[in-house]
Every structure is written in structure tokens, then in C-alpha cells.
Amino acid sequence: MVEKFGLDEEQAFIHTGLFLAWLVNNGLMSCFFSKESGSEIEKLTTRKISPCAIYMNWDGTLIGEMLDKEGFNFSMVYFDFDKGHYIKDYEKTFDVSGEAFFTIKDTWENYDKLKLILDLEFEKWRK
């Protein structure tokens, strides 16, 4: 998909990678995932690797078994590409649409922008 826009393949990982980084930073991962990714999680939470590094290392995989119950339930509602609000919030946060959607960089600055929205949406969902 991103190649047709002349972008690096890694750009396809960013929108989900930033979400996964938020899940990790909020302790919403399963015991299995935490055990398998322990050293990477520590590097992520101390910002020694980029926000999307774990997602890329898992070959762009985000499945239910990686999340704890709360993380799974929130993701099923909010991250659902058809019914959830994540994509709309992502586009609004970065003021992108169409092919520009894939131009967002894997940086902690961009993570921090999106984190504000994710924190709010998570709190709304919890109520």
C-alpha cells in the first residue's frame, strides 16, 4: 500500500505501532506478551527504542492474545477500523487523510500528541 505512494514499507506500521506503544505503556498487555517482550518493553517504556519498534519486531501483529482483558476490550471498541474512532482521531491529531495518513513518522513527539487523545478516550471508555 505505502509503496504505491513512494513511501518506505515501515510507514505502514506507524498508525498501529503508536497504538501498541500506548497499550504497552499503560500496562494493558497479556502475561504472554510481557514475558516474550520483557527487554523490549523496558526499552520502550524508557524511550530507548522508537514507539513502533515492538510492533515492527512482531511483524506488524496486534492480536487479542497480546493484550490483557481490559486492553482487549478497549481495543475491540476503539481500535476497530470500521466502527471505532481510532483512525478518525489519528487523522485529526496529525491533520492527515488519504495518502498523507502514511507520512506520520515514528517519533516520541508524535506518540506524545496521540497519547493525549488515547488517554482521554480510554478514560471515557472506562466510565
Side-chain angles (χ1 to χ4, degrees), residues 3-127:
E3 294 88 9
K4 80 177 190 179
F5 300 128
L7 300 168
D8 292 334
E9 182 180 320
E10 289 80 26
Q11 287 304 118
F13 290 90
I14 306 304
H15 63 285
T16 305
L18 292 174
F19 183 72
L20 178 60
W22 179 85
L23 290 166
V24 170
N25 279 316
N26 283 278
L28 298 169
M29 308 310 294
S30 68
C31 292
F32 160 75
F33 182 84
S34 297
K35 184 178 177 185
E36 292 293 315
S37 300
S39 63
E40 281 186 303
I41 289 171
E42 189 214 326
K43 289 176 186 172
L44 180 81
T45 58
T46 57
R47 297 187 175 205
K48 293 180 179 165
I49 59 175
S50 75
C52 299
I54 289 179
Y55 184 63
M56 289 183 207
N57 290 343
W58 278 77
D59 295 324
T61 301
L62 176 56
I63 56 174
E65 290 80 10
M66 296 166 72
L67 307 172
D68 69 8
K69 185 178 178 181
E70 189 173 41
F72 177 81
N73 289 334
F74 174 66
S75 297
M76 290 300 293
V77 172
Y78 181 68
F79 192 74
D80 182 279
F81 281 3
D82 294 322
K83 300 175 191 163
H85 292 255
Y86 178 73
I87 297 299
K88 291 174 189 157
D89 288 345
Y90 184 92
E91 291 174 331
K92 186 176 178 183
T93 299
F94 298 114
D95 193 25
V96 294
S97 62
E99 67 184 67
F101 181 88
F102 295 104
T103 63
I104 303 307
K105 300 295 181 196
D106 179 18
T107 66
W108 284 106
E109 180 182 356
N110 284 335
Y111 170 85
D112 289 336
K113 287 178 187 176
L114 190 58
K115 177 189 181 311
L116 298 172
I117 303 304
L118 295 174
D119 289 346
L120 289 171
E121 291 299 321
F122 187 60
E123 285 307 311
K124 282 197 292 191
W125 173 80
R126 274 183 149 171
K127 293 179 180 181

